[in-house]
Amino acid sequence: MRKNLGVQPALFPMPVTIVAAYDAEGTVCALNAAWAQICDTDKIALFIDADHKTTQNILETKAFTVSVASVPTMEVADFLGIASGNTMPDKFARTGYHATESTFVHAPVIEEFPVTMECSLAEVVETENLYAIVGKIHNVSAIEQVMDSDGKVDPEKIQALLFDQFRSGYYTIGEKVGKAWNAGKGLMKS
C-alpha cells in the first residue's frame, strides 16, 4: 500500500555539488547546490537562486566550476551550504581549502574536491517557474586517487555525497549492481 506524502522535492538521489566562481576582485565564492543536472553531453544546469553571491559572480565573470562533493569533503561541503557569501565575505577562506584557476575558463578549481567540471556561462533561463544557470562544460578534471587503471573515474573511489530531501541526510553510493544499456537487454527479445 502507498501512503500520500504531499508535495515534496522527492527526487532521490541528488548529487551534492559545489559551484564556485570568482568575484570581480578574484576572490573565490562557492556554494553547495544539490539541485544540479547534466542537460546535454556538454552542458549542466544549476537550479540555484539568483540572489546567491556565487550566482551573481557567475553572471559577472561568465564562468564557474561544478565539483562533486565526497565523504572526505562532507564537512566543508555542508558548511558551503550553511554559510552565505552575501554575509560572510571570507566564506571560502574559512574552509582552509585551496583553489587554482582553471586553464579552460576563468573560474576556480577547488583542489580538494575529487571531480570538477569547468564551465562557461551558456545561458540563464528565467521564467515564472524556473531560474537556471546553464553552463557549457569545457573540461572535466579529477584527482588521480579516483581514477581506475584505464584512466576513467571510478564512482566507488569518489565516495560521492548524495543529498536526501526526505530526512536532510547525506549518503554515498554503494557497489555497482548492473551495467547501463545492458541490464534491460533481456526484455528487448520479448
Side-chain angles (χ1 to χ4, degrees), residues 7 17 30 34 44-45 64 66 68 81 95-96 100 105 108 140 144 148 156 164 168 182:
V7 177
T17 63
I44 186 166
F64 59 97
V66 181
V68 176
T95 68
T100 57
V105 296
V140 175
E144 290 182 11
D148 66 16
E156 291 182 35
D164 157 37
S168 299
N182 188 1

Side-chain angles (χ1 to χ4, degrees), residues 14-107:
M14 292 173 45
V16 176
T17 63
I18 303 302
V19 179
Y22 290 122
D23 68 10
E25 290 78 41
T27 301
V28 176
C29 192
L31 67 85
N32 177 321
W35 292 11
Q37 181 62 54
I38 295 297
C39 59
D40 199 349
T41 57
D42 67 343
K43 293 187 183 61
I44 186 166
L46 308 173
F47 305 100
I48 57 180
D49 290 336
D51 61 349
H52 286 300
K53 176 67 172 147
T54 303
T55 303
Q56 294 305 309
N57 292 345
I58 291 168
L59 297 176
E60 186 173 334
T61 64
K62 310 289 190 242
F64 59 97
T65 58
V66 181
S67 297
V68 176
S70 60
V71 172
T73 64
M74 181 172 55
E75 179 183 27
V76 167
D78 192 61
F79 168 74
L80 292 173
I82 295 169
S84 169
N86 288 319
T87 58
M88 188 182 292
D90 65 341
K91 175 179 163 180
F92 180 73
R94 288 186 188 201
T95 68
Y97 276 19
H98 308 88
T100 57
E101 186 170 352
S102 162
T103 56
F104 297 89
V105 296
H106 177 60

Side-chain angles (χ1 to χ4, degrees), residues 147-153:
M147 308 291 283
D148 66 16
S149 59
D150 294 327
K152 294 184 178 181
V153 172

